[in-house]
Amino acid sequence: MSIPLNIDWQQILLHLFNFAILAGGLYLLLYRPVKNFMEQRQNHYESMHQQAQQDREQAEKLKAEYEDKLSQVEAAITQRKTEAEQELSQLRSQRVAEAKQEAEAILAKARESAKREQEELVSSVSKELVDMAVTAAEKIALGADGDPYEQFLNLAERRTSHEQSR
Amino acid sequence: MKQNKKRFLLLWLCICVVLLVSALVVPGGGESETIQEAMRDAVLHETNPISLFGLCTVNPGYISSLVVTVVLLVAALLIRVFFIPRFQYVPGRFQMLLEQAVGMFDGLAKSNSPWRNGFLGAYVFAAGAYIFTGTLFELFGFQAIATNGNSVTLPAPLSDVNGAIMLGVLSYLVIFSGAIAGNGIRGIGSALKEISLLISMSFRLFGALLSGLLVTELVYYYIQLSFVLPVLVGVLFTLLHALIQSYVLTMLTALFYGEMSERKERRPKAGKKQAGEPLQNV
């Protein structure tokens, strides 16, 4: 039976045989090696990506740990600072109290010293006054005429004016 | 620089004019067959069979397919031996071209048939390479001697109806195998529903390639049409339909393969109610 359009089973099978060889050859020589290489490269980059992701996760974990430690250290520093400030303020108030005490002692001493000096001064002045009075009385009594009482007063007055002019 | 360019243009024009004049002046062999005979032979390949190593006579298309197969296999072997071992993770131009070709067909298979695509990728790669190279083969115009002593220009392998039927039927069988692999016996039924693919894929390919061949044959038959026009018809159209036909057949095969090989869930029978399903009030 002849088939129209010159369709020939033998030639169809020959074409099929030909194509089977071609397909097998292309698969073995070209398709599979190139595909394998592409998969290998993809795996390589995926593993690199995974490695990078792991490294990143580890770095983030480390960062979190360090931040935690840093915050702990900061808290410790703050606590130490507070303690130091408290200590300093205690020391300061203690020093101030000591200084006050010292100042009061100095003041008391100075007052005492001033009082003693005043007393000494008063006693010396009164002694001098007594001496002056005695001297004046002697002068009046021994040589001068007139009322001794008035002489005494004149003498005292002269002396006072003389001191003022000085 | 400009002078050199002018010289080149002048020389080129002179050569073209000389070739044109000589083509017109030199006596031709004349048409040995009418246009009807030429085109009938282009379709049927009845008048100029070629002897296959003295074993039997075959159409010129089969010789073309042999040449294409040998060329492709030798090229693949050379690439396998000299280029693939030197592939780099950062590809060069040629490596990129190869990866692009393989990746394109692999991607076509994966996108159309995500559940089963290993064999499909290899098949569409081979079919695409065969159609593309086979169609470009007719550009070279290799000659062969027919059994009757005529010189025959070797056509594209798939412009031979037997070659086109082979590829169409094989593509259908690949789709059929996908249906069986995906759904077992039930897959046969769904594949048989698409039996028209057997005819449509074969004759679509044959018709597309034959139409290109016929137009080229028509153009080359008349000497008046043999200037400038063949650049468009012979080269650009051939390149274009080599690409288009490779894409169409591989895409259709991948599409139907994916559709057939997809696992279909069995519908629960209407009479049976599933456990835990609430009863509906009628």
Side-chain angles (χ1 to χ4, degrees):
Chain A
M1 188 184 78
S2 67
I3 306 172
L5 283 173
N6 197 18
I7 294 172
D8 184 354
W9 295 115
Q10 188 189 29
Q11 288 194 48
I12 290 174
L13 287 175
L14 280 173
H15 272 287
L16 188 61
F17 167 71
N18 204 10
F19 183 75
I21 291 175
L22 177 69
L26 282 182
Y27 174 71
L28 289 174
L29 294 171
L30 211 59
Y31 185 77
R32 197 174 60 172
V34 174
K35 205 179 155 189
N36 283 347
F37 177 81
M38 287 162 71
E39 280 174 1
Q40 185 188 335
R41 183 175 54 198
Q42 193 176 350
N43 290 340
H44 172 74
Y45 283 119
E46 272 177 6
S47 69
M48 271 178 76
H49 179 67
Q50 280 177 355
Q51 185 66 40
Q53 222 164 7
Q54 279 177 0
D55 288 350
R56 193 176 165 186
E57 280 171 10
Q58 204 171 352
E60 277 177 1
K61 202 174 163 185
L62 274 174
K63 190 185 167 190
E65 276 178 19
Y66 283 129
E67 276 177 352
D68 193 32
K69 278 183 184 173
L70 202 65
S71 63
Q72 282 177 7
V73 168
E74 275 178 1
I77 287 171
T78 313
Q79 195 181 348
R80 286 278 179 89
K81 203 175 168 183
T82 315
E83 283 173 7
E85 275 175 0
Q86 280 176 357
E87 204 173 321
L88 190 68
S89 105
Q90 276 179 2
L91 199 66
R92 193 188 297 146
S93 55
Q94 192 181 342
R95 285 281 172 90
V96 167
E98 281 175 8
K100 268 185 183 174
Q101 211 173 353
E102 205 172 332
E104 276 172 7
I106 290 168
L107 204 62
K109 208 174 172 182
R111 273 181 191 153
E112 197 180 334
S113 161
K115 196 177 174 184
R116 200 169 53 241
E117 278 180 10
Q118 191 187 10
E119 281 171 358
E120 280 174 4
L121 190 67
V122 167
S123 67
S124 72
V125 167
S126 57
K127 196 178 174 185
E128 202 175 332
L129 276 174
V130 170
D131 286 346
M132 277 174 65
V134 171
T135 311
E138 277 177 355
K139 279 180 180 177
I140 293 165
L142 290 176
D145 31 305
D147 189 10
Y149 181 69
E150 277 186 13
Q151 284 180 357
F152 170 73
L153 285 176
N154 288 334
L155 184 63
E157 196 174 332
R158 272 201 307 270
R159 202 164 184 169
T160 310
S161 64
H162 177 69
E163 276 182 1
Q164 279 176 353
S165 68
R166 258 201 304 179
Chain B
M1 193 73 180
K2 277 187 177 177
Q3 212 169 0
N4 281 344
K5 202 174 174 182
K6 275 183 184 173
R7 269 185 202 169
F8 170 76
L9 280 173
L10 201 65
L11 187 69
W12 179 56
L13 281 173
C14 285
I15 290 171
C16 289
V17 169
V18 168
L19 286 175
L20 178 64
V21 170
S22 54
L24 293 173
V25 169
V26 171
E31 290 97 14
S32 56
E33 52 187 358
T34 62
I35 180 72
Q36 287 85 358
E37 284 170 347
M39 294 188 84
R40 183 182 167 82
D41 186 47
V43 177
L44 301 177
H45 305 290
E46 285 172 335
T47 49
N48 293 313
I50 296 175
S51 170
L52 179 71
F53 311 118
L55 297 172
C56 59
T57 56
V58 290
N59 294 342
Y62 182 68
I63 303 297
S64 303
S65 81
L66 275 181
V67 177
V68 168
T69 302
V70 170
V71 167
L72 276 176
L73 285 179
V74 169
L77 187 67
L78 289 175
I79 289 169
R80 178 71 187 90
V81 173
F82 293 111
F83 290 98
I84 291 178
R86 293 177 191 167
F87 270 12
Q88 304 285 326
Y89 280 163
V90 179
R93 285 179 192 168
F94 186 65
Q95 184 185 340
M96 206 182 285
L97 183 76
L98 284 177
E99 284 182 10
Q100 190 67 34
V102 171
M104 187 177 78
F105 288 110
D106 188 44
L108 187 73
K110 278 179 180 163
S111 62
N112 284 294
S113 177
W115 34 86
R116 192 181 293 276
N117 51 47
F119 173 69
L120 179 66
Y123 175 73
V124 290
F125 176 73
Y130 183 60
I131 297 170
F132 184 74
T133 321
T135 310
L136 289 187
F137 177 76
E138 72 180 16
L139 275 180
F140 295 98
F142 290 123
Q143 300 286 311
I145 306 296
T147 47
N148 57 12
N150 287 341
S151 172
V152 183
T153 305
L154 292 178
L158 295 168
S159 66
D160 178 4
V161 70
N162 298 313
I165 287 174
M166 178 279 295
L167 204 57
V169 171
L170 190 62
S171 297
Y172 180 74
L173 289 178
V174 168
I175 294 168
F176 201 87
S177 73
I180 293 173
N183 292 296
I185 305 292
R186 283 184 300 131
I188 296 174
S190 58
L192 284 175
K193 275 194 278 184
E194 301 287 348
I195 191 82
S196 60
L197 279 175
L198 198 68
I199 311 291
S200 71
M201 286 181 101
S202 305
F203 285 91
R204 177 185 292 118
L205 195 61
F206 175 61
L209 286 157
L210 186 71
S211 60
L213 180 80
L214 289 181
V215 172
T216 314
E217 192 83 22
L218 196 63
V219 166
Y220 282 113
Y221 188 81
Y222 297 106
I223 193 161
Q224 293 88 345
L225 296 175
S226 299
F227 305 100
V228 182
L229 200 58
V231 177
L232 283 175
V233 177
V235 181
L236 294 183
F237 283 5
T238 306
L239 276 171
L240 196 67
H241 85 244
L243 278 173
I244 292 171
Q245 292 314 315
S246 311
Y247 179 69
V248 168
L249 187 113
T250 52
M251 195 267 290
L252 282 177
T253 308
L255 197 73
F256 281 105
Y257 185 95
E259 191 184 322
M260 297 290 169
S261 64
E262 185 180 4
R263 186 169 286 278
K264 294 174 182 68
E265 295 299 323
R266 283 190 178 192
R267 287 181 197 165
K269 286 183 182 175
K272 286 185 180 175
K273 290 215 178 284
Q274 288 184 356
E277 193 178 339
L279 291 170
Q280 288 178 341
N281 295 325
V282 180

